[in-house]
Amino acid sequence: MKANIVLLPGDGIGPEVVGEARRILEHVAGKFGHEFSFDVHQIGGASIDQFNSPLTDETLAACKAADAVLLGAVGGHKWDNNPPALRPETGLLALRKGLGVFANLRPVKVHPDLLSASPIKAERLAGVDIIVVRELTGGLYFGQPKKREMRDGHEYAVDTLEYFDYEVRRVMELAFRLASGRSKKVASVDKANVLESSRLWRKIANEVAAANPEVSIEHVLVDTASMKLVTSPATFDVMVTENMFGDILTDEASVLSGSMGMLPSASLGSGGPGLYEPIHGSAPDIAGKGIANPLGTILSSALMLRYSFNLEHEAACIEAAVDAAISAGCRTADLGGSLGTRQMADEVLARLA
Ligand code: NAD
């Protein structure tokens, strides 16, 4: 197949890890007879420095016209005190909005040889294979903003958790589609004992469940879910939840794997290009040293092949090569080893070949 991929290396370690993921994608293209073309654009601080904007119209247009987008990370101390319009994260939020991606998928698997890298007891981690699906464009983070004000002599602030039925339905349907190709169970996480928005969430979840009888649904309150994620994580498969609950639960789930450098993510909408990125940030403390773990970005490129290009076999080959490299003892510094970014990617490439 032919695909046009926009690469947004971004800031800090972004260019280092995206460069390695590109080598893996080029290798896969050659091995399986695909034509991937790469179009590199700036985002975040790098774009502010060059164009005085964290995401230019040209870059957004290129992303919208692409088949998929692979991003490194944005941010760094240099831009920390900039006004909101000139902050690196503003570019990322504008990109997600511009692409219309409404579901953020974060798979969390724990390699058997990395059990000791996690703060959770090894026996609780056996068999962990979760995908957390976080609703990305609604909920508490996008409720009607109100200005902080004085009320009865006190400072008063309010945020609003809002959802439309269609926003819940589209992310729920995506979660059920994912689950039907996996172990056929969905955990829908809400706070329906307290929140009206959660009662709407649960109603829609039940409607989608009724239309997909081959997949079972379990409703889990968010407080219980956060406890079970560390006490019995292997009981979860696909977990779907509201924006802020998902923000918190995905970070909690990422701890299971031992290193942030390992974890990929995909942000999907309906139809347009997907956005793929590792879950970590720009890691200014190690940027430019050639020691960043490239596996989160390499695994994000595997998700791109799976979800945007329907190349399941090629995606599984990348994941198997990463697993094999870890099994052979290949480790970057964050995993207690001494391999550099390039060397780690070379180890994955050797196992792809
Ligand atoms: P971070 O994820 O960049 O780093 C946290 C710690 O993890 C650091 O010690 C870092 O060295 C380490 N780390 C992260 N990725 C690694 C990798 N691939 N290999 C080895 N070690 C790795 O988080 P932070 O330090 O809180 O944020 C740094 C900057 O990144 C900030 O400007 C923040 O706003 C930004 N950020 C961006 C994104 C994004 O682009 N999606 C996400 C989170 C943070």
Side-chain angles (χ1 to χ4, degrees), residues 9-13 17 43 71-80 87-89 92 96 106 251 259-263 265 277-287 291-297 332-335 341:
D11 307 318
I13 61 170
V17 293
I43 191 169
L71 181 133
V74 298
H77 307 309
K78 184 177 174 187
W79 307 281
D80 276 352
R87 288 183 64 95
E89 314 80 62
L92 186 50
R96 288 177 180 154
R106 283 203 195 174
D251 267 27
S259 170
M260 299 224 303
M262 292 287 299
L263 293 177
S265 81
E277 51 183 317
I279 71 154
H280 60 72
S282 58
D285 52 335
I286 57 166
I291 59 169
N293 186 344
L295 296 182
T297 316
T332 40
D334 55 312
L335 299 173
T341 310

Side-chain angles (χ1 to χ4, degrees), residues 44-121:
S47 178
I48 294 170
D49 286 353
Q50 207 175 332
F51 306 111
N52 202 33
S53 160
L55 178 75
T56 63
D57 293 344
E58 290 72 25
T59 299
L60 179 59
C63 291
K64 282 180 167 178
D67 296 304
V69 180
L70 181 67
L71 181 133
V74 298
H77 307 309
K78 184 177 174 187
W79 307 281
D80 276 352
N81 296 318
N82 280 12
L86 287 178
R87 288 183 64 95
E89 314 80 62
T90 305
L92 186 50
L93 291 178
L95 177 66
R96 288 177 180 154
K97 190 160 184 241
L99 290 177
V101 289
F102 58 76
N104 179 245
L105 278 57
R106 283 203 195 174
V108 179
K109 260 189 189 175
V110 190
H111 191 287
D113 293 347
L114 292 181
L115 293 180
S116 62
S118 171
I120 308 292
K121 285 182 185 147

Side-chain angles (χ1 to χ4, degrees), residues 172 176 203-217:
M172 197 60 68
F176 272 75
K203 172 177 173 262
I204 303 295
N206 282 330
E207 287 173 13
V208 175
N212 294 275
E214 75 287 358
V215 175
S216 70
I217 185 163

Side-chain angles (χ1 to χ4, degrees), residues 39-292:
D39 194 8
V40 183
H41 289 266
Q42 304 289 13
I43 191 169
S47 178
I48 294 170
D49 286 353
Q50 207 175 332
F51 306 111
N52 202 33
S53 160
L55 178 75
T56 63
D57 293 344
E58 290 72 25
T59 299
L60 179 59
C63 291
K64 282 180 167 178
D67 296 304
V69 180
L70 181 67
L71 181 133
V74 298
H77 307 309
K78 184 177 174 187
W79 307 281
D80 276 352
N81 296 318
N82 280 12
L86 287 178
R87 288 183 64 95
E89 314 80 62
T90 305
L92 186 50
L93 291 178
L95 177 66
R96 288 177 180 154
K97 190 160 184 241
L99 290 177
V101 289
F102 58 76
N104 179 245
L105 278 57
R106 283 203 195 174
V108 179
K109 260 189 189 175
V110 190
H111 191 287
D113 293 347
L114 292 181
L115 293 180
S116 62
S118 171
I120 308 292
K121 285 182 185 147
E123 65 264 27
R124 295 193 173 171
L125 292 172
V128 165
D129 184 359
I130 307 172
I131 295 191
V132 185
V133 183
R134 166 187 168 193
E135 201 289 324
L136 207 53
T137 56
L140 194 61
Y141 293 169
F142 290 91
Q144 284 299 312
K146 280 200 181 135
K147 268 199 147 176
R148 221 187 303 173
E149 62 185 38
M150 292 302 289
R151 274 203 190 177
D152 304 327
H154 294 281
E155 257 192 304
Y156 170 79
V158 59
D159 294 294
T160 315
L161 207 175
E162 303 181 330
Y163 269 112
F164 280 101
D165 53 1
Y166 68 87
E167 293 175 305
V168 181
R169 191 178 305 282
R170 64 191 181 185
V171 74
M172 197 60 68
E173 286 175 347
L174 194 146
F176 272 75
R177 270 201 304 282
L178 279 175
S180 70
R182 293 171 50 99
S183 72
K184 301 197 184 335
K185 59 178 188 174
V186 168
S188 171
V189 176
D190 61 32
K191 188 71 182 170
N193 53 342
V194 177
L195 300 176
E196 193 55 31
S197 56
S198 279
R199 287 191 275 275
L200 173 64
W201 180 278
R202 195 174 278 210
K203 172 177 173 262
I204 303 295
N206 282 330
E207 287 173 13
V208 175
N212 294 275
E214 75 287 358
V215 175
S216 70
I217 185 163
E218 177 193 14
H219 300 286
V220 190
L221 294 174
V222 63
D223 37 351
T224 310
S226 69
M227 190 246 311
K228 284 174 77 178
L229 258 182
V230 288
T231 54
S232 49
T235 59
F236 288 115
D237 193 273
V238 175
M239 177 187 275
V240 56
T241 190
E242 184 270 334
N243 201 342
M244 184 188 68
F245 296 162
D247 192 9
I248 298 168
L249 291 178
T250 47
D251 267 27
E252 188 188 353
S254 73
V255 172
L256 302 174
S257 86
S259 170
M260 299 224 303
M262 292 287 299
L263 293 177
S265 81
S267 297
L268 307 176
S270 37
L275 172 64
Y276 300 86
E277 51 183 317
I279 71 154
H280 60 72
S282 58
D285 52 335
I286 57 166
K289 295 186 179 162
I291 59 169

